[in-house]
Amino acid sequence: MKRIALFGSTGSIGTQALEVVRTHPDLFSVEILTAQSNADLLIAQALEFDPNVVVIGDETRYAEVKAALSSTNVKVFAGEAAIEEAAAMDCYDMMLAAIVGFAGLRPTLKAIENGKTIALANKETLVIAGEIVVKKSLENKAAILPVDSEHSAIFQCVVGESRNKVTRIILTASGGPFRGKKPNFLVNVKRDHALQHPNWNMGAKITIDSATLMNKGLEMIEAKWLFNLRSDQIEVIVHPQSIIHSMVEFEDGSIKAQMGLPDMRLPIQYALAYPQRIGNAFPRTDFRKIEKLEFEEPDTRTFRNLYLAREAMEKGGNLPCILNAANEIAVWAFLKNRIGFLDMMAVVEKALEQVKFIEHPTLDDYFESDAEARDFAASLIKL
Ligand code: NAD
Ligand code: MG
């Protein structure tokens, strides 16, 4: 029995993880559930899965959650600090890190220091502070297993290949809802259109990141740290069908690809059950129904975020942290209809130019750079 702590249980990844757990009660138990503000769903999840602990980030919802669970043995806590404290508990084996954005960093670091295995959905953690996160995970023997579908694909391709040299990885990108569109179209795009992803149903932030290609930018940086690669070994190709989830090339030129229907439950389940593969009733791939598999170069002139992310990855230091922070503010402002689609990329570019560069940041430097980049981005947007 693997004891799971689900951080961000009410989100897209969190709820799909609970679907996996629900169908395998013999393999998994849920020990911790955390959510930011969706008290109703958190309560329903706690009543169903009977965890040890639940934490609601928004303290104004504490009384409600506490009252609803008063007839159970579930311990209820509230607030940002309580989320981090829950990660330091001993009652679980594996954290599924499914909080969105910078807020996921501290609890995940705490779980790593606590020696827990991390099933990592929160890519921002590695983007912000990859070097420190990886170092701590090695020191504490806390394995990091990818949940992101591309990284799960790469991971599945390299299992059993530990003696063999990877020469290149090829990250596939769907291209998002605006593939092929140009600035004259994008300038007028509004949030509701951008929230309609062709292949995946995800939380709002990552859906916008997919539309601007920032998601793929973040994923390049995530891959660099997860698989210990140089920037020039990481390639991105647009593959609109999202059947090949990513590929790995080895020294002999042979390429392995991992394929399947776009369904996040699969990579989630792979990480939760690793090193085992377990059965499920998810829809199967029928190649007769897939007319073609297409590949094209990403348009980094229009979708500048991908270019900016590569620059940040290559120059390193605190630049990926600045990129992420400015992007979080920009996406938030776009979702509130405060700025346009192309403005998001302009905000990120200005932040990379203007916020103080630190070549060898400490963890505190990352927290400071994050705050500085957020303030800078907010001042540009005049929030
Ligand atoms: P989501 O918005 O659907 O869910 C986010 C979860 O985090 C919710 O449970 C929410 O309560 C919690 N949360 C939000 N803000 C918080 C805060 N400030 N403090 C504590 N908790 C907070 O997001 P999602 O789509 O499930 O994505 C989660 C993470 O997984 C992201 O980092 C995303 O990039 C990554 N990811 C998601 C998908 C996907 O298909 N959704 C795929 C790959 C990677
Ligand atoms: Mg992905």
Side-chain angles (χ1 to χ4, degrees), residues 240-251:
Q241 291 80 18
S242 296
I243 294 295
I244 297 181
H245 298 313
S246 279
M247 300 179 257
V248 177
E249 183 193 71
F250 295 91
E251 205 169 16

Side-chain angles (χ1 to χ4, degrees), residues 8 10-13 36 98-99 103 121-124 148 202-203 206 264:
T10 54
S12 160
I13 293 288
Q36 181 56 16
I99 290 176
N122 178 270
K123 64 192 87 189
E124 294 91 343
D148 215 344
M202 311 177 286
I206 183 175
M264 277 311 293

Side-chain angles (χ1 to χ4, degrees), residues 6-16 34-38 41 45 56-58 79-80 83 97-104 107 120-125 147-150 200-207 209 215 218-219 222 264 267-268:
L6 188 30
F7 281 65
S9 67
T10 54
S12 160
I13 293 288
T15 51
Q16 293 183 84
T34 86
Q36 181 56 16
S37 51
N38 190 343
L41 183 54
Q45 292 176 339
I56 179 90
D58 179 352
E80 195 182 330
I83 294 181
I99 290 176
V100 59
F102 184 83
L120 187 74
N122 178 270
K123 64 192 87 189
E124 294 91 343
T125 288
V147 168
D148 215 344
S149 59
E150 297 77 2
W200 301 94
N201 186 5
M202 311 177 286
K205 195 249 173 189
I206 183 175
T207 306
D209 284 345
N215 184 48
L218 302 178
E219 289 183 356
E222 179 186 16
M264 277 311 293
I268 292 170

Side-chain angles (χ1 to χ4, degrees), residues 126-244:
L126 284 175
V127 172
I128 298 161
E131 191 163 11
I132 291 177
V133 171
V134 167
K135 189 161 167 270
K136 278 183 188 279
S137 94
L138 292 172
E139 282 167 5
N140 293 287
K141 298 193 169 49
I144 302 178
L145 308 173
V147 168
D148 215 344
S149 59
E150 297 77 2
H151 305 73
S152 176
I154 293 164
F155 185 52
Q156 292 180 55
C157 290
V158 298
V159 163
E161 299 273 11
S162 60
R163 288 155 183 252
N164 297 323
K165 211 152 109 197
V166 168
T167 46
R168 184 166 61 122
I169 64 160
I170 302 153
L171 287 175
T172 52
S174 70
F178 305 130
R179 182 172 62 91
K181 299 290 191 229
K182 296 292 169 197
N184 60 353
F185 173 90
L186 294 171
V187 71
N188 296 315
V189 155
K190 293 283 179 275
R191 74 186 287 276
D192 291 341
H193 192 181
L195 281 172
Q196 276 152 26
H197 194 279
N199 303 348
W200 301 94
N201 186 5
M202 311 177 286
K205 195 249 173 189
I206 183 175
T207 306
I208 300 304
D209 284 345
S210 300
T212 63
L213 291 199
M214 179 56 95
N215 184 48
K216 213 48 57 180
L218 302 178
E219 289 183 356
M220 290 193 304
I221 303 171
E222 179 186 16
K224 173 185 159 85
W225 294 116
L226 271 176
F227 304 109
N228 190 22
L229 299 165
R230 295 187 315 271
S231 305
D232 63 287
Q233 291 175 293
I234 304 170
E235 212 171 87
V236 172
I237 190 114
V238 173
H239 165 47
Q241 291 80 18
S242 296
I243 294 295
I244 297 181

Side-chain angles (χ1 to χ4, degrees), residues 243 259-261 282-288 290:
I243 294 295
M259 298 189 236
L261 296 174
F282 306 157
R284 304 285 140 154
T285 315
D286 180 350
F287 279 95
R288 283 161 299 205
I290 301 166

